[in-house]
Amino acid sequence: MKPPPFEFFDPTTVAEAVSLLGQYGGEAKVIAGGQSLVPLLNMRLARPGVLVDINRVAELDHIREADGGLAIGAITRHRAIERSTAVQKVQPLLHAAVCHIAHPQIRNRGTIGGSIAHADPAAELPAVCVALGAELRITGPSGERTVKAEDFFITFLTTALGPDELLTEVRLPALPARTGWSFKEVSRRHGDFALAGAAVTLTLDGGA
């Protein structure tokens, strides 16, 4: 099937992208990797009048250590996270979860921001963000705000992100000392959507 007709914009800055979202409001959808949105378009389950492609917004593509934790730009590919030595060192739970996402072809295109903003309950990254106490940086017409992951996800496929706002960065704090973690996912076969999954961290207190 083919998607319904839409206008297409490919801004190069966050400010330009936010301006477009403010101009078109609920008519616009953000696209980067397109691994969730494109199938919805082709099946006519989503019918936006405007697509705002943020692939050329270079400031959203980064992985860097910050305050002992990690700052990851919204259009950073799953594959880049999977291969990052900083992620493996600072947030091994995130690394373990990303390796479970679909297949390499999907991870080469899918983005961390797209997965989180889509808020599919079968996806790996929303659960990991909550387990790790992530903070999500959001930019809108009024400026930037930060939302805790536990407050960002309202229900399945629904978040606190406004129609004129853009998720720009994921901030993952450093794991406290004496913290363990585990990630487990059950699926019919590798690469399928999970039938069930869990992401857990546990910090022992000083007397343990």
Side-chain angles (χ1 to χ4, degrees):
M1 296 180 66
K2 295 181 179 180
F6 52 80
E7 289 189 76
F8 179 84
F9 298 93
D10 57 343
T12 59
T13 67
V14 169
E16 187 181 354
V18 169
S19 176
L20 287 165
L21 294 176
Q23 179 180 348
Y24 291 100
E27 283 295 306
K29 285 285 188 183
V30 175
I31 188 169
Q35 302 306 293
S36 298
L37 182 56
V38 169
L40 293 176
L41 291 172
N42 288 340
M43 292 187 287
R44 305 295 177 102
L45 296 175
R47 295 172 176 265
V50 174
L51 286 187
V52 179
D53 185 336
I54 58 173
N55 277 295
R56 295 205 301 151
V57 184
E59 62 194 286
L60 298 182
D61 187 4
H62 60 264
I63 301 172
R64 55 175 174 257
E65 296 186 47
D67 301 321
L70 291 175
I72 304 178
I75 67 168
T76 305
R77 310 292 169 180
H78 301 318
R79 195 66 160 171
I81 297 170
E82 178 184 355
R83 291 175 170 174
S84 168
T85 55
V87 171
Q88 294 177 43
K89 178 183 71 173
V90 178
Q91 288 293 355
L93 172 56
L94 174 61
H95 176 259
V98 167
C99 292
H100 281 78
I101 295 175
H103 302 284
Q105 295 90 333
I106 299 296
R107 297 198 293 274
N108 283 338
R109 292 299 303 163
T111 64
I112 186 172
S115 177
I116 292 169
H118 187 53
D120 190 323
E124 293 80 4
L125 297 186
V128 167
C129 284
V130 173
L132 292 176
E135 292 185 340
L136 307 176
R137 291 193 171 184
I138 296 168
T139 302
S142 301
E144 187 178 82
R145 65 189 180 104
T146 300
V147 179
K148 293 182 178 180
E150 62 191 56
D151 299 321
F152 181 79
F153 300 106
I154 296 173
T155 184
F156 59 90
L157 305 178
T158 306
T159 72
L161 198 64
D164 56 355
E165 292 183 314
L166 181 68
L167 173 61
T168 55
E169 189 175 69
V170 181
R171 286 266 176 160
L172 298 159
L175 291 175
R178 295 165 60 83
T179 296
W181 59 270
S182 182
F183 181 84
K184 180 67 175 178
E185 190 172 84
V186 179
S187 58
R188 291 188 178 90
R189 59 185 178 182
H190 177 71
D192 283 356
F193 282 111
L195 298 175
V200 179
T201 63
L202 177 64
T203 302
L204 301 178
D205 62 31

